[in-house]
Amino acid sequence: MLARMKRALVFGGGGFIGSHLVKRLKGEGFWVRGVDLQMPRYAPTAADEFIIGDLRDPVVCIAALKGDFDEVYQLAADMGGAGFISSGEHDADIMHNSALINLNILRACTDAPIGRIFYSSSACVYPERNQLDPDNPNCSEDSAYPAAPDSEYGWEKLFSERLYLSYARNYGVEVRIARFHNIFGPEGSWNDGREKVPAALCRKVAMAASGGEIEIWGDGHQTRSFLYIDECLDGVLRLMRSDYTEPVNIGSDQMVTINQLARMIMDVADKTLSIRNITGPLGVRGRRSDNRLIHARLGWAPSSHLRDGLQQTYRWISTQVEDGKLDQEAA
Ligand code: NAD
């Protein structure tokens, strides 16, 4: 008898992480359905079936979950980099839209025979008080409470983590929850106001002539850690197929300042540029993934160096910039 093909559903399959995840699942032999407001913007989807739909509508969630899925991944959210989530201008929409998506999906899960569901939370759940010292941020999983995220985006993520855990407790939905720390790579937002810092800096470096200047928000001494998309997916799949049910960090523990990140990108691009630090939306002062728990429970740790991922990302973004210039010249 032929073995049944495993089936996966990716909410947010048109987004950065979702579109890469669809590719990975296809590579593993899954039949995959993607759902999103939009198709992936930078490459054709690898999904077997793609539903364009608004997950704020419960009917869309119910229809999407029909099909006996072994693995469901929830990556849809109204999100972006610091310019989007820390400016304060989108707070109501971020909270309203993302909470509605999660409320609808979980309610629909109670009537759908799914294996388990993965939820993408964020490092933004961690309290601001533990991220004031750029050299010593504390982002261990157990430090999330008493809660005091610095953004409404973080509060919604914390609410939704609790929602997923409540559905596990009361309805027996099998959930897995990761707190992502700055995932980056090719084929993500790079010039639409939702881009995150690695993509924004790659774009600025790609657009600058050697000897020129780029702008960086803040004094550039704020710290972060960045995880390349392929490694993120390794962590997601490891977590999804484990029996670990509490929220866990998926990130890199290689911490750099934003000025150092910019210099690394200049080095990859082989360009010498000066940095002008200007006022802009910032987020917390320091943040780094604490990987002790995931290493202990799942034996997972990222293995590649930040520079390697930046090389891939810079190559892709500089091609986008070049193609844009050619389009302008042709117009
Ligand atoms: P993304 O913005 O590229 O993808 C999110 C997708 O959700 C988009 O394609 C968007 O169209 C879709 N979406 C939004 N509202 C929708 C709606 N109402 N109905 C249907 N689809 C809708 O973001 P990403 O970087 O791929 O992030 C994926 C998930 O991981 C998100 O939940 C995000 O909050 C979380 N996360 C990402 C990072 C990161 O560094 N990229 C860090 C922490 C957490």
Side-chain angles (χ1 to χ4, degrees), residues 11-19 35-41 53-57 60 74-80 97-98 101 118-124 153 156-157 178-184 187-189 194 196 227:
F11 290 117
F16 165 54
I17 301 174
S19 57
V35 188
D36 203 297
L37 281 175
Q38 55 183 353
M39 298 295 280
R41 281 179 294 166
D54 188 336
L55 297 163
R56 291 170 299 183
D57 178 350
V60 172
Q74 197 326 61
L75 297 151
D78 200 356
M79 75 88 73
N97 293 340
S98 298
I101 292 171
F118 169 89
Y119 173 57
S120 49
S121 181
S122 164
C124 292
Y153 170 78
E156 189 282 326
K157 288 291 187 194
R179 293 176 179 159
F180 288 155
H181 290 244
N182 289 306
I183 315 304
F184 75 102
E187 296 174 17
S189 279
R194 290 180 184 247
K196 307 193 92 187
L227 183 71

Side-chain angles (χ1 to χ4, degrees), residues 129-138 223 255 285-287:
R129 63 175 175 277
N130 291 339
Q131 301 172 88
L132 299 174
D133 176 357
D135 298 321
N136 277 306
N138 174 13
T223 52
M255 189 166 74
R285 189 72 183 141
R287 176 172 286 158

Side-chain angles (χ1 to χ4, degrees), residues 2-304:
L2 278 179
R4 171 183 163 278
M5 202 176 185
K6 283 206 164 195
R7 296 167 65 84
L9 174 59
V10 181
F11 290 117
F16 165 54
I17 301 174
S19 57
H20 284 278
L21 178 61
V22 167
K23 257 184 253 170
R24 175 70 71 94
L25 291 166
K26 281 306 300 167
E28 287 193 345
F30 276 74
W31 185 93
V32 184
R33 175 184 292 160
V35 188
D36 203 297
L37 281 175
Q38 55 183 353
M39 298 295 280
R41 281 179 294 166
Y42 306 110
T45 182
D48 297 280
E49 187 180 287
F50 202 96
I51 299 177
I52 299 286
D54 188 336
L55 297 163
R56 291 170 299 183
D57 178 350
V59 174
V60 172
C61 297
I62 292 166
L65 275 155
K66 288 207 166 86
D68 222 351
F69 291 100
D70 303 280
E71 297 183 359
V72 178
Y73 295 85
Q74 197 326 61
L75 297 151
D78 200 356
M79 75 88 73
F84 188 77
I85 64 169
S86 300
S87 69
E89 287 166 25
H90 310 284
D91 288 348
D93 286 345
I94 287 172
M95 296 193 89
H96 180 96
N97 293 340
S98 298
L100 258 190
I101 292 171
N102 288 311
L103 287 161
N104 288 340
I105 287 175
L106 279 166
R107 182 53 72 179
C109 279
T110 60
D111 283 329
I114 61 161
R116 57 184 57 168
I117 182 162
F118 169 89
Y119 173 57
S120 49
S121 181
S122 164
C124 292
V125 301
Y126 289 114
E128 187 171 17
R129 63 175 175 277
N130 291 339
Q131 301 172 88
L132 299 174
D133 176 357
D135 298 321
N136 277 306
N138 174 13
C139 293
S140 64
E141 285 82 349
D142 60 4
S143 71
Y145 295 95
D150 73 308
S151 64
E152 304 303 353
Y153 170 78
W155 279 104
E156 189 282 326
K157 288 291 187 194
L158 208 51
F159 164 77
S160 288
E161 281 189 3
R162 299 188 72 92
L163 188 70
Y164 280 81
L165 293 171
S166 301
Y167 269 82
R169 198 179 312 128
N170 297 157
Y171 289 95
V173 178
E174 278 272 342
V175 308
R176 301 291 181 270
I177 301 172
R179 293 176 179 159
F180 288 155
H181 290 244
N182 289 306
I183 315 304
F184 75 102
E187 296 174 17
S189 279
W190 63 280
N191 67 345
D192 63 356
R194 290 180 184 247
E195 62 275 20
K196 307 193 92 187
V197 66
L201 292 181
C202 284
R203 183 196 69 229
K204 289 178 187 186
V205 169
M207 292 179 78
S210 206
E213 176 181 84
I214 58 165
E215 291 181 341
I216 287 187
W217 292 342
D219 63 10
H221 297 302
Q222 64 271 36
T223 52
R224 292 293 185 276
S225 66
F226 301 94
L227 183 71
Y228 190 61
I229 180 69
D230 291 357
E231 303 227 71
C232 167
L233 298 182
D234 294 342
V236 168
L237 297 178
R238 178 85 65 105
L239 172 61
M240 184 65 155
R241 292 155 193 177
S242 77
D243 58 6
Y244 192 72
T245 53
E246 294 296 315
V248 64
N249 291 328
I250 292 188
S252 161
D253 50 12
Q254 185 190 349
M255 189 166 74
V256 291
T257 68
I258 300 304
N259 283 344
Q260 285 169 337
L261 180 73
R263 294 214 177 83
M264 230 182 251
I265 296 170
M266 289 177 208
D267 187 49
V268 162
D270 200 17
K271 285 187 185 183
T272 310
L273 304 168
S274 52
I275 293 174
R276 186 149 62 96
N277 294 103
I278 60 164
T279 309
L282 290 177
V284 293
R285 189 72 183 141
R287 176 172 286 158
R288 164 177 43 192
S289 183
D290 181 329
N291 286 354
R292 286 172 298 172
L293 181 66
I294 194 162
H295 192 253
R297 300 303 295 257
L298 305 181
W300 180 84
S303 56
S304 78

